Amino acid sequence: MRTLFVNGTVVNADGQTEADVAVVGEKISQIVPRSGGGITPGPDDLVIDATGCFVVPGGVDAHVHMELDTGTTVSSDSFASGTIAAAYGGTTTIIDFAEQRSGGNVLEAFEKRFAAAESQCVVDWGLHQILGGVDEQALIDARSLIAREGVASIKLFMAYPGRLYSDDGQILRALQMCADTGLMAMVHAENGLAIDVLVEQAIAAGNITPDFHSRTRPPELEAEAVHRAAVLSQVAGNAPLYIVHVSSSHALAEIVSARTRGVNIFGETCPQYLHLSLEDHLGQGWPNGAGFICSTPLRSKHDHHQADLWDGLRYDQLAVVSTDHCPFCMREQKLGFGESFQLVPNGIGGVEHRLDLMYQGVVAGHISLERWVEVCATAPARLFGVPRKGSIAVDMDADVVIYDPAATTVISAETHHMNMDYSAYEGMALAGAVRTVMSRGDVIVNNGQFVGRASRGRYLRREVSQHIR
Ligand code: URP
Ligand code: ZN
Ligand code: ZN
């Protein structure tokens, strides 16, 4: 059977056309401009009318944390609930993380995480490998993961001393391995040792409200870590380097500067840094402010961070928008460990709303429609080695979203599908809505209703991206 998307505007990173799209099995089989006659439906075709809508590639969210064990609690979306929420929001690929901790075994950590996700995901999925304890064996094992398991990326932390933190020597060794293999090194860039001093001093002074989470993680300490990671990547032999969750003008400026020096560096930002702020959200005090504690933190609305990040996306200084989806429930989790900012689990949930929140940038004129598609789907697919996803083209996986620009989305915990009892975006009324979602040829969201099969998602064996060599 063929499925036809007719009468829509096909939008890819490199342009838009009035065209009809045919899907056979799991692949896109035909794209015919209507100026060339379009596709005439046959009696056996399933026809989906996309009049007035955009036909865009399914979103690729390259940074999510389902059922993440933080040490004190576990993020509240399972792989099942989180991928259903992703599907509602037009995301048909997620990449989560396997986590090796200091003294732990990389291959065992990968297998454990793989087993947890495999039986649950409703969209296609992959895993990055966190190295929380970079030692000789961890590097040998991480190097073997590309051939063994199709893992094309590792993640390192310059934050969180005593937990996931790597020192500069460990980071250099890991980056040397990445330069050698082509694996992408994702880095959480914040100077964790300096932050810990500021946190200790804030607590000693009695400054424990949620806003101190941001005040003790100043943008200078994000920028300093980005600079250091970029230098280490260059010294390592130009390792592919991807800075996660860029939140500030300061960090962005370091990425721009490193790119002009020829560093193989890419930046990611997230919707929370483009829409939420220290004053309006984190600064609400207890209890609501706790819902906005994430790292890197929300920044001051008075310092041009948001305008600079939008510009960074517009001018390709930032390559990707991911959610860093890390959901917690308010009462039991965000407020469950005591009223002091450093006790609150870090993270904001948003896997369901990335396409909608980023579409507001199109409406406001910050980015083009094509760039919206590129940062939400095409670029993450390319950078993380999933070449069959991220665009509407013949022989690509049939991951297709019908996006209705005339509809409206109102975000609320009452109606969202993430396993969270609050929303960081509560009450926001957004232009545009996801109407229909196809994942590898299956319609999984039909006119706003999830109709997918449990655990239908497929593990993505990835390859080293040609884009970064
Ligand atoms: O606050 C956040 N982002 N929590 C998730 C873990 C991380 O640092 O990415
Ligand atoms: Zn992080
Ligand atoms: Zn994260």
Side-chain angles (χ1 to χ4, degrees), residues 63 65 68 155 157 160 188 245 293-295 324 326 346-347:
H63 185 167
H65 302 278
L68 168 73
K155 185 174 178 195
F157 287 83
Y160 307 139
H188 176 136
H245 48 52
I293 287 187
C294 62
S295 296
D324 193 8
C326 192
N346 283 205

Side-chain angles (χ1 to χ4, degrees), residues 93-169:
T93 300
I94 59 149
I95 313 182
D96 205 300
F97 299 84
E99 184 174 309
Q100 177 254 3
R101 298 181 188 173
S102 188
N105 182 282
V106 168
L107 303 179
E108 283 170 17
F110 177 84
E111 277 162 26
K112 192 163 157 234
R113 194 70 171 153
F114 184 94
E118 195 189 16
S119 55
Q120 296 192 60
C121 292
V122 304
V123 299
D124 291 352
W125 59 283
L127 292 173
H128 311 286
Q129 179 65 50
I130 289 173
L131 301 186
V134 177
D135 56 28
E136 211 171 314
Q137 191 58 46
L139 290 174
I140 291 168
D141 291 346
R143 185 184 278 270
S144 76
L145 276 178
I146 182 75
R148 274 176 69 119
E149 311 287 358
V151 173
S153 40
I154 61 160
K155 185 174 178 195
L156 303 163
F157 287 83
M158 302 170 93
Y160 307 139
R163 204 154 61 83
L164 293 164
Y165 175 81
S166 291
D167 66 28
D168 290 353

Side-chain angles (χ1 to χ4, degrees), residues 1-19:
M1 190 187 77
R2 261 191 339 174
T3 303
L4 303 181
F5 295 94
V6 299
N7 300 323
T9 304
V10 174
V11 184
N12 274 316
D14 59 358
Q16 39 182 300
T17 13
E18 301 301 314

Side-chain angles (χ1 to χ4, degrees), residues 125-341:
W125 59 283
L127 292 173
H128 311 286
Q129 179 65 50
I130 289 173
L131 301 186
V134 177
D135 56 28
E136 211 171 314
Q137 191 58 46
L139 290 174
I140 291 168
D141 291 346
R143 185 184 278 270
S144 76
L145 276 178
I146 182 75
R148 274 176 69 119
E149 311 287 358
V151 173
S153 40
I154 61 160
K155 185 174 178 195
L156 303 163
F157 287 83
M158 302 170 93
Y160 307 139
R163 204 154 61 83
L164 293 164
Y165 175 81
S166 291
D167 66 28
D168 290 353
Q170 290 173 308
I171 287 177
L172 179 62
R173 284 183 200 281
L175 290 172
Q176 286 169 335
M177 186 272 286
C178 290
D180 194 31
T181 55
L183 292 191
M184 178 71 89
M186 307 169 82
V187 172
H188 176 136
E190 287 186 295
N191 185 326
L193 296 175
I195 286 168
D196 273 6
V197 171
L198 298 181
V199 169
E200 197 185 301
Q201 291 169 346
I203 295 167
N207 295 323
I208 56 168
T209 47
D211 54 311
F212 277 92
H213 178 71
S214 180
R215 299 187 199 287
T216 54
R217 309 179 89 91
E220 289 80 0
L221 294 183
E222 184 186 7
E224 184 278 328
V226 171
H227 179 80
R228 196 157 25 103
V231 170
L232 292 171
S233 145
Q234 211 158 23
V235 169
N238 227 5
L241 175 64
Y242 177 95
I243 307 295
V244 294
H245 48 52
V246 173
S247 67
S248 65
S249 312
H250 306 55
L252 175 61
E254 289 295 344
I255 290 175
V256 172
S257 155
R259 284 170 74 85
T260 52
R261 298 196 306 275
V263 178
N264 203 2
I265 186 173
F266 302 88
E268 165 200 271
T269 192
C270 313
Q272 52 268 36
Y273 306 115
L274 298 160
H275 286 280
L276 307 176
S277 71
L278 167 61
E279 291 82 5
D280 294 341
H281 302 92
L282 194 56
Q284 294 178 68
W286 305 104
N288 289 357
F292 300 94
I293 287 187
C294 62
S295 296
T296 51
L298 301 184
R299 302 296 182 189
S300 171
K301 66 178 179 185
H302 303 301
D303 291 342
H304 296 282
H305 299 292
Q306 290 187 352
D308 289 345
L309 293 175
W310 279 116
D311 276 354
L313 288 170
R314 181 186 182 100
Y315 298 118
D316 200 17
Q317 297 160 341
L318 293 169
V320 169
V321 174
S322 306
T323 55
D324 193 8
H325 175 73
C326 192
F328 296 102
C329 287
M330 183 59 92
R331 208 161 348 102
E332 299 81 21
Q333 297 187 293
K334 283 290 194 180
L335 301 172
F337 303 95
E339 277 203 0
S340 192
F341 69 89

